[in-house]
Amino acid sequence: YYVVSNTVKPITETTKMSFAEVIGSQKVDWFVSHYWGNSFKDCVRSLCKHAEMESTRTGVPWRDLAYWVCSFSINQWNIEEECGSGNWQASSFFLTLRSGHCQGTAMILDINA
């Protein structure tokens, strides 16, 4: 929650777009599902480890992998529409997973999982 209110929303306030759209979005390789109770630092560490493992496995440089993280990928100024306005199949979450580009879900669990 801290990252959205203190980083994402201030950066996107004038455009009312998602953070990803502001910085330049790209086709998603991995959808990220995470536990909101983890620290942002731990989430980033986990995603870096995942990217390194994928790079080793596929030969794709880890910096070229694109991850869909809701905080950065959805438009924080239009949450209802991003969630499908009552139709889950119209949500950005579903559309990303079904895009044909997404290879799978990288799940980040808490330390006790």
Side-chain angles (χ1 to χ4, degrees), residues 42-59:
D42 288 343
C43 287
V44 170
R45 234 186 246 143
S46 294
L47 289 176
C48 287
K49 185 65 174 172
H50 184 273
E52 290 169 2
M53 290 171 44
E54 275 302 296
S55 179
T56 299
R57 185 180 72 81
T58 64

Side-chain angles (χ1 to χ4, degrees), residues 1 16 23 28 71 78 80 110:
Y1 300 109
K16 301 291 193 255
I23 65 166
V28 172
S71 301
N78 198 354
E80 184 176 347
D110 74 355

